PDB file of all heavy atoms in Angstrom:
ATOM      1  N   LEU A  17     212.392  94.347 242.523  1.00 77.00           N
ATOM      2  CA  LEU A  17     212.588  93.458 243.677  1.00 77.00           C
ATOM      3  C   LEU A  17     211.827  93.963 244.892  1.00 77.00           C
ATOM      4  O   LEU A  17     211.239  93.176 245.644  1.00 77.00           O
ATOM      5  CB  LEU A  17     214.079  93.349 243.984  1.00 77.00           C
ATOM      6  CG  LEU A  17     214.932  92.619 242.937  1.00 77.00           C
ATOM      7  CD1 LEU A  17     216.403  92.643 243.354  1.00 77.00           C
ATOM      8  CD2 LEU A  17     214.452  91.181 242.763  1.00 77.00           C
ATOM      9  N   ALA A  56     172.206  68.223 275.399  1.00 76.00           N
ATOM     10  CA  ALA A  56     171.263  67.414 274.611  1.00 76.00           C
ATOM     11  C   ALA A  56     171.486  65.920 274.791  1.00 76.00           C
ATOM     12  O   ALA A  56     170.534  65.133 274.638  1.00 76.00           O
ATOM     13  CB  ALA A  56     171.377  67.783 273.132  1.00 76.00           C
ATOM     14  N   ALA A  81     196.103  85.139 278.480  1.00 89.00           N
ATOM     15  CA  ALA A  81     196.699  85.904 279.578  1.00 89.00           C
ATOM     16  C   ALA A  81     198.215  85.996 279.435  1.00 89.00           C
ATOM     17  O   ALA A  81     198.808  87.064 279.658  1.00 89.00           O
ATOM     18  CB  ALA A  81     196.332  85.264 280.920  1.00 89.00           C
ATOM     19  N   LEU A 113     189.738  62.284 274.034  1.00 91.00           N
ATOM     20  CA  LEU A 113     188.325  62.433 274.370  1.00 91.00           C
ATOM     21  C   LEU A 113     187.468  62.538 273.115  1.00 91.00           C
ATOM     22  O   LEU A 113     186.316  62.047 273.083  1.00 91.00           O
ATOM     23  CB  LEU A 113     188.124  63.675 275.253  1.00 91.00           C
ATOM     24  CG  LEU A 113     188.745  63.616 276.651  1.00 91.00           C
ATOM     25  CD1 LEU A 113     188.571  64.961 277.364  1.00 91.00           C
ATOM     26  CD2 LEU A 113     188.139  62.498 277.481  1.00 91.00           C
ATOM     27  N   ARG A 138     194.565  67.857 286.568  1.00 95.00           N
ATOM     28  CA  ARG A 138     195.998  68.176 286.668  1.00 95.00           C
ATOM     29  C   ARG A 138     196.408  69.201 285.618  1.00 95.00           C
ATOM     30  O   ARG A 138     197.162  70.139 285.897  1.00 95.00           O
ATOM     31  CB  ARG A 138     196.820  66.893 286.524  1.00 95.00           C
ATOM     32  CG  ARG A 138     196.643  65.897 287.656  1.00 95.00           C
ATOM     33  CD  ARG A 138     197.396  64.618 287.388  1.00 95.00           C
ATOM     34  NE  ARG A 138     198.832  64.855 287.233  1.00 95.00           N
ATOM     35  CZ  ARG A 138     199.703  63.902 286.908  1.00 95.00           C
ATOM     36  NH1 ARG A 138     199.286  62.656 286.676  1.00 95.00           N
ATOM     37  NH2 ARG A 138     200.979  64.190 286.805  1.00 95.00           N
ATOM     38  N   ILE A 169     203.170 112.854 292.403  1.00 93.00           N
ATOM     39  CA  ILE A 169     202.106 113.861 292.375  1.00 93.00           C
ATOM     40  C   ILE A 169     202.071 114.627 293.691  1.00 93.00           C
ATOM     41  O   ILE A 169     201.852 115.848 293.714  1.00 93.00           O
ATOM     42  CB  ILE A 169     200.760 113.193 292.073  1.00 93.00           C
ATOM     43  CG1 ILE A 169     200.737 112.702 290.613  1.00 93.00           C
ATOM     44  CG2 ILE A 169     199.601 114.151 292.324  1.00 93.00           C
ATOM     45  CD1 ILE A 169     199.484 111.938 290.250  1.00 93.00           C
ATOM     46  N   HIS A 178     203.786 126.397 297.126  1.00 79.00           N
ATOM     47  CA  HIS A 178     204.881 127.001 297.875  1.00 79.00           C
ATOM     48  C   HIS A 178     204.495 128.326 298.514  1.00 79.00           C
ATOM     49  O   HIS A 178     205.116 128.757 299.464  1.00 79.00           O
ATOM     50  CB  HIS A 178     206.080 127.222 296.947  1.00 79.00           C
ATOM     51  CG  HIS A 178     205.802 128.249 295.877  1.00 79.00           C
ATOM     52  ND1 HIS A 178     205.089 127.942 294.726  1.00 79.00           N
ATOM     53  CD2 HIS A 178     206.125 129.566 295.800  1.00 79.00           C
ATOM     54  CE1 HIS A 178     204.990 129.026 293.981  1.00 79.00           C
ATOM     55  NE2 HIS A 178     205.611 130.020 294.589  1.00 79.00           N
ATOM     56  N   PRO A 192     213.130 144.115 313.702  1.00 51.00           N
ATOM     57  CA  PRO A 192     212.402 143.713 314.908  1.00 51.00           C
ATOM     58  C   PRO A 192     212.045 144.934 315.747  1.00 51.00           C
ATOM     59  O   PRO A 192     212.787 145.904 315.847  1.00 51.00           O
ATOM     60  CB  PRO A 192     213.390 142.804 315.643  1.00 51.00           C
ATOM     61  CG  PRO A 192     214.726 143.247 315.160  1.00 51.00           C
ATOM     62  CD  PRO A 192     214.533 143.672 313.722  1.00 51.00           C
ATOM     63  N   ARG A 197     211.173 148.616 328.227  1.00 51.00           N
ATOM     64  CA  ARG A 197     211.118 148.038 329.560  1.00 51.00           C
ATOM     65  C   ARG A 197     210.297 148.947 330.484  1.00 51.00           C
ATOM     66  O   ARG A 197     210.252 150.149 330.329  1.00 51.00           O
ATOM     67  CB  ARG A 197     212.532 147.886 330.120  1.00 51.00           C
ATOM     68  CG  ARG A 197     213.377 146.894 329.315  1.00 51.00           C
ATOM     69  CD  ARG A 197     214.760 146.777 329.926  1.00 51.00           C
ATOM     70  NE  ARG A 197     215.572 145.855 329.130  1.00 51.00           N
ATOM     71  CZ  ARG A 197     216.861 145.585 329.422  1.00 51.00           C
ATOM     72  NH1 ARG A 197     217.431 146.188 330.484  1.00 51.00           N
ATOM     73  NH2 ARG A 197     217.513 144.744 328.668  1.00 51.00           N
ATOM     74  N   ASP A 233     206.188 155.404 287.860  1.00 56.00           N
ATOM     75  CA  ASP A 233     205.432 155.677 286.653  1.00 56.00           C
ATOM     76  C   ASP A 233     204.821 154.378 286.135  1.00 56.00           C
ATOM     77  O   ASP A 233     205.548 153.403 285.890  1.00 56.00           O
ATOM     78  CB  ASP A 233     206.353 156.278 285.586  1.00 56.00           C
ATOM     79  CG  ASP A 233     205.556 156.789 284.396  1.00 56.00           C
ATOM     80  OD1 ASP A 233     204.319 156.609 284.393  1.00 56.00           O
ATOM     81  OD2 ASP A 233     206.176 157.355 283.477  1.00 56.00           O
ATOM     82  N   TRP A 242     199.023 138.164 281.431  1.00 40.00           N
ATOM     83  CA  TRP A 242     197.664 138.078 281.964  1.00 40.00           C
ATOM     84  C   TRP A 242     197.141 139.412 282.490  1.00 40.00           C
ATOM     85  O   TRP A 242     196.039 139.486 283.004  1.00 40.00           O
ATOM     86  CB  TRP A 242     197.619 137.047 283.082  1.00 40.00           C
ATOM     87  CG  TRP A 242     198.555 137.354 284.220  1.00 40.00           C
ATOM     88  CD1 TRP A 242     198.316 138.151 285.289  1.00 40.00           C
ATOM     89  CD2 TRP A 242     199.878 136.867 284.387  1.00 40.00           C
ATOM     90  NE1 TRP A 242     199.394 138.186 286.105  1.00 40.00           N
ATOM     91  CE2 TRP A 242     200.378 137.405 285.584  1.00 40.00           C
ATOM     92  CE3 TRP A 242     200.710 136.020 283.636  1.00 40.00           C
ATOM     93  CZ2 TRP A 242     201.658 137.129 286.058  1.00 40.00           C
ATOM     94  CZ3 TRP A 242     201.972 135.740 284.105  1.00 40.00           C
ATOM     95  CH2 TRP A 242     202.437 136.292 285.288  1.00 40.00           C
TER      96      TRP A 242
END
Side-chain angles (χ1 to χ4, degrees):
L17 292 178
L113 293 175
R138 294 175 60 184
I169 290 176
H178 66 280
R197 296 181 181 178
D233 189 357
W242 59 86

